[in-house]
Amino acid sequence: MTETDRDETAVLSGCPMHADPTPIHDQAFAADPDGVYAELREQGPLASVELAPGVPATLVLDHETALSVLRDPETFPKDSRAWQREAPADSPVVAMMMYRDNVLFQDGPAHDRLRQAITDSLSRVDSVTLRRYVTESAESLIRDFGPAGKADLLAEYARVLPLLVLNRLFGSPPELTTRMVDAMTALWDGIDTERANRELGQCIAELIALRREQPSFDITTWLLEHEADLDDEEMVQQLVVFMGAGAEPVQNLITNALRLWLADDRFAGDLSGGRLPVEDAIDEVLWKQPPLANYAITYPTREVELAGRSLPANQPVVIGIAAANTDPALRSTRRDGNRAHLAWSAGPHTCPARDTARLIASVAIETILDTLPDMDLAVPADELEWRPGPFHRALTALPVHFPPVQETDSRDETPGESGRWSNRPAHTSWIPPETTSTPKRAGSVTKAPRRALNYLGEWLLGR
């Protein structure tokens, strides 16, 4: 066979192993992931990608193939130790992919035992109390930046709100939670990961020691008391998963939803006009801009066949969550009320905290849209920048401006509605925001407060 014949055979087979790996960790991918996915689809359902320099992987691009992987842990297990032995030790992605003794890297009975401890502990979280606490925390943050008439909704709202919730859920002192979230952010970004990994482990060990000495009504204490009898290392690693899922992805879900509301007239009109309940709006974001674009990594222990291709043993198989959600084969699928997206993964490793994350995000979105219905982007939408990295879909900032707001006098509040806000300047008479909301630009939709549209989210998440 000539060299030309071999090249033609490679093209006809569409085998990703014949293609140079496409980086999905650089700024080019961050700026236009949909364009990169479109190019990768020319290789078929699977594509050869690079998670970091010198770290090849196979990316699953279509929905059906992704489900077949996620539902087959025997062929596609989560244990990364064999891969880790061959991976570059100084690679920025190792900290996010290295084996840990937690539910994310286990399968079978070991996974079931750890997952039961997590689900039992989460089931003790009262959704009504959590909703009230998230609302109070959100209103407190808005109180800080509201009078300025401008804010970075990522740095001043979406990033801080999950941190406040984590303080309450895990019984963690604020300073300790801040250190943990900073370490998790560094791990997601691949910045000084060795130091960040040590810091995260140290923080969680401190939290466990605190709750052993002073048990409380929180997830950390419930895990310590669970009949699964987790040892100290298992406790540390379960909390690593919790912190990882509760900080970065939730802040990205909130930010991505607010970006879509600010930049997309159709989305803003449907959401503000009541045609799209908040719960369905969140699902639209999870379909289009999931906070984890690529993850749910598996590591086949032997050479396996998938979608007509041969995959090497121990090389990561990564689910392209955003790619699978936008699979052209799903174009006829209705998205409103449809939760068949893969943002929470699928199969045995479906995210056990998805309802808690949805609750936090929905309350965060409802509260700020009700309070600041006249927000507008402070820069053109196409000038917003995305953080590079192979796993997350995350903005670097979300700057907005709005009419400055002042807190209403508590004596005028309806009982049970503490912390309400208005767009009432001190020197003018006040008209309720419902009648004064204005379009964000010519020809765009009018935004309205969200409180009247909470009924579906309350029913779904509070039952």
Side-chain angles (χ1 to χ4, degrees):
M1 179 183 290
T2 67
E3 188 70 29
T4 299
D5 291 335
R6 280 193 293 269
D7 289 343
E8 289 178 353
T9 300
V11 171
L12 290 172
S13 69
C15 177
M17 299 303 109
H18 287 281
D20 291 334
T22 299
I24 59 171
H25 54 82
D26 57 10
Q27 192 62 55
F29 175 76
D32 184 22
D34 290 336
V36 175
Y37 290 141
E39 293 178 2
L40 291 175
R41 285 193 179 97
E42 295 177 4
Q43 300 179 32
L46 309 176
S48 177
V49 298
E50 182 184 69
L51 302 178
V55 182
T58 299
L59 188 69
V60 182
L61 296 163
D62 76 30
H63 196 271
E64 183 178 358
T65 305
L67 284 176
S68 71
V69 171
L70 295 171
R71 293 171 175 171
D72 185 7
E74 183 175 346
T75 305
F76 298 97
K78 304 290 282 187
D79 191 327
S80 65
R81 281 175 287 192
W83 167 81
Q84 191 176 334
R85 285 192 289 268
E86 303 298 327
D90 60 349
S91 174
V93 296
V94 167
M96 291 300 301
M97 299 170 66
M98 63 185 291
Y99 176 82
R100 300 177 187 270
D101 192 11
N102 64 32
V103 69
L104 191 62
F105 293 91
Q106 303 282 356
D107 292 294
H111 168 265
D112 296 342
R113 168 178 165 267
L114 297 175
R115 186 180 177 93
Q116 192 64 52
I118 288 174
T119 56
D120 287 349
S121 298
L122 282 170
S123 71
R124 299 180 66 175
V125 176
D126 178 68
S127 61
V128 175
T129 301
L130 179 59
R131 173 176 280 274
R132 183 174 64 250
Y133 179 68
V134 177
T135 301
E136 291 170 355
S137 299
E139 290 177 339
S140 175
L141 294 173
I142 298 169
R143 186 175 300 116
D144 288 339
F145 61 72
K150 62 181 180 178
D152 176 356
L153 293 186
L154 172 60
E156 299 177 71
Y157 189 71
R159 180 174 292 155
V160 186
L161 186 55
L163 184 150
L164 296 175
V165 174
L166 291 177
N167 287 344
R168 177 65 61 91
L169 287 179
F170 294 96
S172 174
E175 184 272 340
L176 193 58
T177 305
T178 299
R179 287 166 54 199
M180 286 189 280
V181 171
D182 287 346
M184 284 303 313
T185 300
L187 291 178
W188 283 111
D189 285 341
I191 298 172
D192 198 2
T193 56
E194 186 175 345
R195 183 208 59 80
N197 198 40
R198 286 197 308 270
E199 173 70 358
L200 180 62
Q202 177 61 35
C203 290
I204 292 177
E206 291 177 24
L207 173 60
I208 293 169
L210 174 64
R211 285 294 154 245
R212 282 196 188 279
E213 183 179 343
Q214 303 174 25
S216 185
F217 197 71
D218 54 58
I219 289 176
T220 305
T221 301
W222 298 332
L223 280 173
L224 285 167
E225 296 173 346
H226 195 272
E227 62 184 6
D229 193 24
L230 305 181
D231 61 32
D232 281 354
E233 181 60 21
E234 288 176 327
M235 276 294 304
V236 168
Q237 297 306 334
Q238 291 352 284
L239 290 176
V240 166
V241 173
F242 266 124
M243 293 297 173
E248 175 81 14
V250 175
Q251 79 170 36
N252 293 342
L253 176 55
I254 295 169
T255 307
N256 294 353
L258 292 175
R259 185 204 67 84
L260 193 58
W261 182 77
L262 289 160
D264 186 323
D265 284 349
R266 195 275 311 165
F267 183 84
D270 286 350
L271 185 57
S272 295
R275 292 180 293 278
L276 187 66
V278 169
E279 282 296 297
D280 289 352
I282 288 175
D283 280 313
E284 179 155 347
V285 176
L286 292 171
W287 277 103
K288 292 182 175 180
Q289 295 283 350
L292 294 184
N294 310 294
Y295 208 56
I297 310 171
T298 63
Y299 306 84
T301 58
R302 64 185 187 280
E303 185 174 314
V304 299
E305 293 291 322
L306 179 65
R309 312 283 173 79
S310 179
L311 304 183
N314 302 322
Q315 179 170 293
V317 176
V318 180
I319 302 300
I321 296 169
N325 286 352
T326 55
D327 183 352
L330 300 179
R331 282 178 179 167
S332 61
T333 302
R334 288 181 59 87
R335 300 295 172 87
D336 51 316
N338 186 336
R339 298 186 179 177
H341 55 74
L342 300 180
W344 309 117
S345 190
H349 285 272
T350 300
C351 177
R354 60 191 180 278
D355 289 343
T356 302
R358 292 181 71 99
L359 179 92
I360 295 169
S362 66
V363 174
I365 295 164
E366 290 166 0
T367 303
I368 198 163
L369 296 192
D370 180 66
T371 307
L372 304 175
D374 294 323
M375 280 191 303
D376 197 4
L377 283 172
V379 299
D382 59 6
E383 292 184 11
L384 295 172
E385 295 183 5
W386 298 91
R387 285 162 47 200
F391 304 129
H392 54 226
R393 183 62 174 159
L395 287 168
T396 61
L398 185 60
V400 297
H401 56 75
F402 45 84
V405 294
Q406 298 175 341
E407 189 176 9
T408 58
D409 191 316
S410 60
R411 292 169 298 180
D412 298 332
E413 292 167 1
T414 302
E417 293 190 343
S418 60
R420 293 294 300 272
W421 284 73
S422 76
N423 283 1
R424 176 175 53 179
H427 60 280
T428 65
S429 61
W430 178 64
I431 301 175
E434 286 85 345
T435 64
T436 59
S437 297
T438 56
K440 61 181 177 178
R441 55 183 174 272
S444 73
V445 299
T446 299
K447 303 171 187 175
R450 293 289 320 155
R451 289 189 189 274
L453 307 176
N454 291 349
Y455 65 93
L456 182 60
E458 292 274 5
W459 182 80
L460 287 170
L461 293 169
R463 57 181 174 173

mmCIF file of all heavy atoms in Angstrom, residues 68-69 71-78 107 298-306 311-314 317:
data_model
loop_
_atom_site.group_PDB
_atom_site.id
_atom_site.type_symbol
_atom_site.label_atom_id
_atom_site.label_comp_id
_atom_site.label_asym_id
_atom_site.label_seq_id
_atom_site.Cartn_x
_atom_site.Cartn_y
_atom_site.Cartn_z
ATOM 1 N N SER A 68 -24.091 4.945 25.982
ATOM 2 C CA SER A 68 -23.589 3.570 25.994
ATOM 3 C C SER A 68 -22.353 3.444 26.867
ATOM 4 O O SER A 68 -22.128 2.408 27.507
ATOM 5 C CB SER A 68 -23.295 3.093 24.567
ATOM 6 O OG SER A 68 -22.145 3.740 24.031
ATOM 7 N N VAL A 69 -21.526 4.495 26.922
ATOM 8 C CA VAL A 69 -20.337 4.488 27.776
ATOM 9 C C VAL A 69 -20.736 4.647 29.237
ATOM 10 O O VAL A 69 -20.298 3.891 30.110
ATOM 11 C CB VAL A 69 -19.369 5.612 27.359
ATOM 12 C CG1 VAL A 69 -18.249 5.762 28.376
ATOM 13 C CG2 VAL A 69 -18.797 5.334 25.975
ATOM 14 N N ARG A 71 -23.398 3.995 30.780
ATOM 15 C CA ARG A 71 -24.211 2.905 31.329
ATOM 16 C C ARG A 71 -23.480 1.566 31.347
ATOM 17 O O ARG A 71 -24.079 0.546 31.682
ATOM 18 C CB ARG A 71 -25.512 2.785 30.539
ATOM 19 C CG ARG A 71 -26.436 3.983 30.719
ATOM 20 C CD ARG A 71 -27.603 3.950 29.759
ATOM 21 N NE ARG A 71 -28.545 5.046 30.026
ATOM 22 C CZ ARG A 71 -29.569 5.360 29.238
ATOM 23 N NH1 ARG A 71 -29.777 4.666 28.109
ATOM 24 N NH2 ARG A 71 -30.376 6.355 29.561
ATOM 25 N N ASP A 72 -22.196 1.577 31.019
ATOM 26 C CA ASP A 72 -21.430 0.325 30.948
ATOM 27 C C ASP A 72 -20.134 0.455 31.761
ATOM 28 O O ASP A 72 -19.041 0.480 31.205
ATOM 29 C CB ASP A 72 -21.118 -0.006 29.486
ATOM 30 C CG ASP A 72 -20.429 -1.356 29.318
ATOM 31 O OD1 ASP A 72 -20.307 -2.099 30.321
ATOM 32 O OD2 ASP A 72 -20.002 -1.664 28.185
ATOM 33 N N PRO A 73 -20.246 0.516 33.097
ATOM 34 C CA PRO A 73 -19.041 0.698 33.914
ATOM 35 C C PRO A 73 -18.098 -0.496 33.878
ATOM 36 O O PRO A 73 -16.915 -0.344 34.208
ATOM 37 C CB PRO A 73 -19.602 0.923 35.322
ATOM 38 C CG PRO A 73 -20.955 0.293 35.306
ATOM 39 C CD PRO A 73 -21.465 0.495 33.921
ATOM 40 N N GLU A 74 -18.573 -1.654 33.482
ATOM 41 C CA GLU A 74 -17.683 -2.809 33.401
ATOM 42 C C GLU A 74 -16.664 -2.622 32.278
ATOM 43 O O GLU A 74 -15.476 -2.919 32.444
ATOM 44 C CB GLU A 74 -18.482 -4.091 33.169
ATOM 45 C CG GLU A 74 -17.611 -5.339 33.136
ATOM 46 C CD GLU A 74 -18.417 -6.615 33.020
ATOM 47 O OE1 GLU A 74 -19.644 -6.578 33.222
ATOM 48 O OE2 GLU A 74 -17.814 -7.663 32.715
ATOM 49 N N THR A 75 -17.119 -2.125 31.132
ATOM 50 C CA THR A 75 -16.217 -1.871 30.008
ATOM 51 C C THR A 75 -15.486 -0.545 30.164
ATOM 52 O O THR A 75 -14.317 -0.423 29.785
ATOM 53 C CB THR A 75 -17.006 -1.867 28.682
ATOM 54 O OG1 THR A 75 -17.738 -3.093 28.561
ATOM 55 C CG2 THR A 75 -16.072 -1.732 27.486
ATOM 56 N N PHE A 76 -16.180 0.428 30.741
ATOM 57 C CA PHE A 76 -15.621 1.774 30.881
ATOM 58 C C PHE A 76 -15.611 2.167 32.361
ATOM 59 O O PHE A 76 -16.451 2.950 32.815
ATOM 60 C CB PHE A 76 -16.436 2.774 30.048
ATOM 61 C CG PHE A 76 -16.418 2.489 28.579
ATOM 62 C CD1 PHE A 76 -17.449 1.777 27.974
ATOM 63 C CD2 PHE A 76 -15.349 2.903 27.804
ATOM 64 C CE1 PHE A 76 -17.421 1.506 26.624
ATOM 65 C CE2 PHE A 76 -15.312 2.638 26.436
ATOM 66 C CZ PHE A 76 -16.346 1.926 25.845
ATOM 67 N N PRO A 77 -14.653 1.637 33.125
ATOM 68 C CA PRO A 77 -14.591 1.923 34.563
ATOM 69 C C PRO A 77 -14.007 3.304 34.841
ATOM 70 O O PRO A 77 -13.417 3.945 33.968
ATOM 71 C CB PRO A 77 -13.684 0.819 35.099
ATOM 72 C CG PRO A 77 -12.784 0.488 33.941
ATOM 73 C CD PRO A 77 -13.625 0.662 32.706
ATOM 74 N N LYS A 78 -14.151 3.738 36.096
ATOM 75 C CA LYS A 78 -13.720 5.075 36.495
ATOM 76 C C LYS A 78 -12.326 5.105 37.127
ATOM 77 O O LYS A 78 -11.772 6.184 37.322
ATOM 78 C CB LYS A 78 -14.726 5.645 37.508
ATOM 79 C CG LYS A 78 -16.174 5.682 36.997
ATOM 80 C CD LYS A 78 -16.385 6.696 35.919
ATOM 81 C CE LYS A 78 -16.492 8.083 36.497
ATOM 82 N NZ LYS A 78 -16.876 9.100 35.494
ATOM 83 N N ASP A 107 -16.397 1.857 41.217
ATOM 84 C CA ASP A 107 -17.501 1.173 40.544
ATOM 85 C C ASP A 107 -17.953 0.009 41.411
ATOM 86 O O ASP A 107 -17.272 -0.374 42.372
ATOM 87 C CB ASP A 107 -17.065 0.666 39.167
ATOM 88 C CG ASP A 107 -16.783 1.795 38.181
ATOM 89 O OD1 ASP A 107 -17.725 2.509 37.826
ATOM 90 O OD2 ASP A 107 -15.610 1.951 37.791
ATOM 91 N N THR A 298 -13.776 8.080 31.790
ATOM 92 C CA THR A 298 -13.613 6.660 32.083
ATOM 93 C C THR A 298 -12.284 6.181 31.512
ATOM 94 O O THR A 298 -11.676 6.846 30.656
ATOM 95 C CB THR A 298 -14.759 5.813 31.506
ATOM 96 O OG1 THR A 298 -14.750 5.918 30.071
ATOM 97 C CG2 THR A 298 -16.110 6.284 32.033
ATOM 98 N N TYR A 299 -11.851 4.995 31.984
ATOM 99 C CA TYR A 299 -10.518 4.491 31.629
ATOM 100 C C TYR A 299 -10.603 2.988 31.332
ATOM 101 O O TYR A 299 -10.426 2.162 32.240
ATOM 102 C CB TYR A 299 -9.529 4.742 32.775
ATOM 103 C CG TYR A 299 -9.468 6.181 33.228
ATOM 104 C CD1 TYR A 299 -10.402 6.684 34.153
ATOM 105 C CD2 TYR A 299 -8.503 7.047 32.737
ATOM 106 C CE1 TYR A 299 -10.359 8.006 34.570
ATOM 107 C CE2 TYR A 299 -8.452 8.382 33.153
ATOM 108 C CZ TYR A 299 -9.382 8.851 34.071
ATOM 109 O OH TYR A 299 -9.342 10.164 34.479
ATOM 110 N N PRO A 300 -10.907 2.598 30.092
ATOM 111 C CA PRO A 300 -11.008 1.165 29.790
ATOM 112 C C PRO A 300 -9.688 0.447 30.088
ATOM 113 O O PRO A 300 -8.611 0.939 29.747
ATOM 114 C CB PRO A 300 -11.350 1.136 28.298
ATOM 115 C CG PRO A 300 -10.973 2.482 27.770
ATOM 116 C CD PRO A 300 -11.122 3.439 28.904
ATOM 117 N N THR A 301 -9.789 -0.710 30.741
ATOM 118 C CA THR A 301 -8.585 -1.436 31.162
ATOM 119 C C THR A 301 -8.014 -2.326 30.067
ATOM 120 O O THR A 301 -6.934 -2.909 30.236
ATOM 121 C CB THR A 301 -8.897 -2.301 32.392
ATOM 122 O OG1 THR A 301 -9.970 -3.204 32.065
ATOM 123 C CG2 THR A 301 -9.321 -1.428 33.565
ATOM 124 N N ARG A 302 -8.729 -2.443 28.967
ATOM 125 C CA ARG A 302 -8.266 -3.249 27.838
ATOM 126 C C ARG A 302 -8.669 -2.539 26.550
ATOM 127 O O ARG A 302 -9.458 -1.599 26.569
ATOM 128 C CB ARG A 302 -8.889 -4.645 27.879
ATOM 129 C CG ARG A 302 -10.397 -4.638 27.722
ATOM 130 C CD ARG A 302 -11.017 -6.031 27.876
ATOM 131 N NE ARG A 302 -12.436 -6.029 27.556
ATOM 132 C CZ ARG A 302 -13.407 -5.629 28.371
ATOM 133 N NH1 ARG A 302 -13.108 -5.172 29.568
ATOM 134 N NH2 ARG A 302 -14.676 -5.669 27.989
ATOM 135 N N GLU A 303 -8.119 -2.972 25.444
ATOM 136 C CA GLU A 303 -8.532 -2.415 24.163
ATOM 137 C C GLU A 303 -9.996 -2.767 23.929
ATOM 138 O O GLU A 303 -10.397 -3.926 24.052
ATOM 139 C CB GLU A 303 -7.666 -2.985 23.035
ATOM 140 C CG GLU A 303 -7.952 -2.363 21.686
ATOM 141 C CD GLU A 303 -6.989 -2.847 20.617
ATOM 142 O OE1 GLU A 303 -5.763 -2.878 20.892
ATOM 143 O OE2 GLU A 303 -7.463 -3.210 19.517
ATOM 144 N N VAL A 304 -10.809 -1.781 23.615
ATOM 145 C CA VAL A 304 -12.241 -2.010 23.452
ATOM 146 C C VAL A 304 -12.730 -1.417 22.136
ATOM 147 O O VAL A 304 -12.103 -0.519 21.564
ATOM 148 C CB VAL A 304 -13.045 -1.399 24.624
ATOM 149 C CG1 VAL A 304 -12.640 -2.038 25.951
ATOM 150 C CG2 VAL A 304 -12.865 0.112 24.678
ATOM 151 N N GLU A 305 -13.858 -1.928 21.679
ATOM 152 C CA GLU A 305 -14.510 -1.409 20.484
ATOM 153 C C GLU A 305 -15.642 -0.481 20.898
ATOM 154 O O GLU A 305 -16.437 -0.807 21.786
ATOM 155 C CB GLU A 305 -15.074 -2.554 19.642
ATOM 156 C CG GLU A 305 -14.034 -3.466 19.031
ATOM 157 C CD GLU A 305 -13.224 -2.775 17.941
ATOM 158 O OE1 GLU A 305 -13.820 -1.980 17.183
ATOM 159 O OE2 GLU A 305 -12.007 -3.025 17.867
ATOM 160 N N LEU A 306 -15.698 0.670 20.291
ATOM 161 C CA LEU A 306 -16.777 1.626 20.557
ATOM 162 C C LEU A 306 -17.109 2.355 19.278
ATOM 163 O O LEU A 306 -16.219 2.919 18.619
ATOM 164 C CB LEU A 306 -16.352 2.627 21.642
ATOM 165 C CG LEU A 306 -17.382 3.706 22.002
ATOM 166 C CD1 LEU A 306 -18.615 3.077 22.631
ATOM 167 C CD2 LEU A 306 -16.773 4.750 22.946
ATOM 168 N N LEU A 311 -10.335 1.379 20.714
ATOM 169 C CA LEU A 311 -9.756 2.341 21.654
ATOM 170 C C LEU A 311 -8.680 1.652 22.475
ATOM 171 O O LEU A 311 -8.866 0.529 22.946
ATOM 172 C CB LEU A 311 -10.833 2.901 22.592
ATOM 173 C CG LEU A 311 -12.047 3.558 21.938
ATOM 174 C CD1 LEU A 311 -12.974 4.118 23.007
ATOM 175 C CD2 LEU A 311 -11.616 4.654 20.976
ATOM 176 N N PRO A 312 -7.561 2.322 22.710
ATOM 177 C CA PRO A 312 -6.473 1.700 23.456
ATOM 178 C C PRO A 312 -6.792 1.581 24.945
ATOM 179 O O PRO A 312 -7.566 2.362 25.505
ATOM 180 C CB PRO A 312 -5.297 2.657 23.219
ATOM 181 C CG PRO A 312 -5.937 3.974 22.952
ATOM 182 C CD PRO A 312 -7.211 3.679 22.230
ATOM 183 N N ALA A 313 -6.189 0.608 25.584
ATOM 184 C CA ALA A 313 -6.368 0.418 27.022
ATOM 185 C C ALA A 313 -5.786 1.606 27.784
ATOM 186 O O ALA A 313 -4.761 2.180 27.389
ATOM 187 C CB ALA A 313 -5.699 -0.878 27.468
ATOM 188 N N ASN A 314 -6.461 1.976 28.866
ATOM 189 C CA ASN A 314 -5.984 2.964 29.848
ATOM 190 C C ASN A 314 -5.952 4.398 29.340
ATOM 191 O O ASN A 314 -5.538 5.292 30.077
ATOM 192 C CB ASN A 314 -4.599 2.586 30.378
ATOM 193 C CG ASN A 314 -4.589 1.208 31.019
ATOM 194 O OD1 ASN A 314 -5.545 0.825 31.698
ATOM 195 N ND2 ASN A 314 -3.516 0.455 30.794
ATOM 196 N N VAL A 317 -11.351 8.111 28.149
ATOM 197 C CA VAL A 317 -12.508 8.320 27.277
ATOM 198 C C VAL A 317 -13.359 9.376 27.969
ATOM 199 O O VAL A 317 -13.897 9.148 29.057
ATOM 200 C CB VAL A 317 -13.303 7.028 27.069
ATOM 201 C CG1 VAL A 317 -14.565 7.301 26.236
ATOM 202 C CG2 VAL A 317 -12.438 5.972 26.390
#
